[in-house]
Amino acid sequence: MATDQNRHLLRTSLVTAIAPCIWGSTYIVTTQLLPPNHPLTAALLRVLPIGLIMIALQRRAPLAEWWGRLLFLGLLNIGVFQALLFIAAYRLPGGVAATVIATQPLGVIVLSRPLLGSTPTRLAWIAAGTGVVGVALLVLTPAARLDAFGLAAAFAGAGCMALGTVLTKRWSTAPLPIAAFTGWQLVFGGLFLLPLALLFEAPLAGVTVKNVIGYAYLGIFGTGITYMIFFWGIKRLQPSAVSLLGLLSPVMATALGFLLLGQSLTPLQIVGGVLVLWSIWAGQRQAPGKR
């Protein structure tokens, strides 16, 4: 019986891991296919159109008591998180921002006890801490500079994502198909980003076929499909295990840079990648999540 449960847990983890692996391609798609200097516009176009399409296809509105919850989740998981990530990305080197965001599993562990009534294991704490060290070795450079406001935005983004993950678990009993549950969050998050993109960025000009392909990829695969998979995984796994799977994103981004852009890998980066993979493996050695 335990073996069957372990196999089921492994299959669920492997399916959920698809989401952060695809998210790891965001950097290369953004730099190679999208217009420069429009991060808020890119965030808006990757979430709002696909969200509207998903709820139009589902034709399922939330029950009255779920509107506020889905709005709050949409802000945490999508809108506010993307805005904070935008601030951090502009004021910090990518490696610093990625390392701070990698503290998110620690936030999930801290929040799981009061909000879910679960007690994370010692292994979960060790895995989360090791993951932060691994990401730091993987992406930080000696020339990394620090900016107080950028750091605050990055930590706030990590906290926002952690709270969103835990509350998604708490409210995963929403009487909606996973596509509608995801679509409504994307719409609410996109509506939050819409005025920010209009206010702080110039309108897109001279959009090419390459740009359209990039936006379509990020919307369909990098957002719609991946968030459905991620929320599906949160419903079935411990939130700390799912958040540790998210560390696959910087690993995949580094691997794609090495394979497709000819970027080099240092011994420390390789050690960091191994530490991240170990932390992910260790984080999955937990029972399925319970409410």
Side-chain angles (χ1 to χ4, degrees), residues 44 74-75 78-81 83-84 187-197:
L44 170 66
L75 293 177
I78 313 295
V80 176
F81 172 70
L84 290 169
V187 168
F188 289 136
L191 291 176
F192 175 84
L193 290 168
L194 178 60
L196 298 179

Side-chain angles (χ1 to χ4, degrees), residues 158-235:
C160 189
M161 189 177 178
L163 180 58
T165 299
V166 174
L167 289 180
T168 298
K169 177 67 177 181
R170 182 181 177 90
W171 294 333
S172 61
T173 55
L176 284 173
I178 192 66
F181 181 77
T182 304
W184 282 107
Q185 290 188 58
L186 293 175
V187 168
F188 289 136
L191 291 176
F192 175 84
L193 290 168
L194 178 60
L196 298 179
L198 293 175
L199 284 172
F200 295 110
E201 290 183 357
L204 288 174
V207 176
T208 66
V209 173
K210 184 175 71 170
N211 300 152
V212 173
I213 292 172
Y215 286 126
Y217 171 84
L218 289 179
I220 298 169
F221 297 101
T223 300
I225 292 174
T226 48
Y227 270 105
M228 278 198 297
I229 293 172
F230 201 66
F231 293 150
W232 175 88
I234 290 174
K235 186 173 183 178

Side-chain angles (χ1 to χ4, degrees), residues 2-268:
T3 302
D4 290 341
Q5 185 184 37
N6 289 339
R7 288 174 180 169
H8 176 72
L9 183 62
L10 176 61
R11 287 195 296 268
T12 303
S13 296
L14 289 174
V15 172
T16 307
I18 294 171
C21 284
I22 294 177
W23 286 333
S25 67
T26 299
Y27 172 78
I28 196 167
V29 170
T30 300
T31 56
Q32 301 300 310
L33 298 180
L34 299 189
N37 304 318
H38 286 81
L40 281 174
T41 301
L44 170 66
L45 292 178
R46 72 179 290 185
V47 302
L48 187 55
I50 192 65
L52 290 171
I53 290 170
M54 290 168 72
I55 63 173
L57 291 175
Q58 288 292 308
R59 298 183 180 180
R60 289 284 299 274
L63 298 176
E65 62 269 25
W66 283 93
W67 281 100
R69 295 176 183 179
L70 287 173
L71 171 62
F72 194 44
L73 288 178
L75 293 177
L76 288 174
N77 290 326
I78 313 295
V80 176
F81 172 70
Q82 290 286 344
L84 290 169
L85 197 61
F86 156 75
I87 295 171
Y90 257 69
R91 301 184 69 100
L92 296 172
V96 175
T99 302
V100 174
I101 295 298
T103 63
Q104 182 248 350
L106 291 169
V108 169
I109 290 173
V110 171
L111 293 170
S112 289
R113 188 161 192 168
L115 294 177
L116 299 176
S118 62
T119 304
T121 64
R122 181 181 300 176
L123 182 60
W125 283 102
I126 294 172
T130 303
V132 176
V133 174
V135 170
L137 292 175
L138 189 66
V139 299
L140 277 182
T141 64
R145 59 182 173 77
L146 300 181
D147 173 87
F149 190 69
L151 283 173
F155 276 113
C160 189
M161 189 177 178
L163 180 58
T165 299
V166 174
L167 289 180
T168 298
K169 177 67 177 181
R170 182 181 177 90
W171 294 333
S172 61
T173 55
L176 284 173
I178 192 66
F181 181 77
T182 304
W184 282 107
Q185 290 188 58
L186 293 175
V187 168
F188 289 136
L191 291 176
F192 175 84
L193 290 168
L194 178 60
L196 298 179
L198 293 175
L199 284 172
F200 295 110
E201 290 183 357
L204 288 174
V207 176
T208 66
V209 173
K210 184 175 71 170
N211 300 152
V212 173
I213 292 172
Y215 286 126
Y217 171 84
L218 289 179
I220 298 169
F221 297 101
T223 300
I225 292 174
T226 48
Y227 270 105
M228 278 198 297
I229 293 172
F230 201 66
F231 293 150
W232 175 88
I234 290 174
K235 186 173 183 178
R236 289 161 175 80
L237 298 169
Q238 288 278 9
S240 58
V242 178
S243 63
L244 281 163
L245 284 172
L247 300 183
L248 282 168
S249 184
V251 173
M252 184 60 67
T254 302
L256 288 174
F258 173 74
L259 294 171
L260 301 180
L261 301 180
Q263 296 174 350
S264 60
L265 284 177
T266 67
L268 276 181

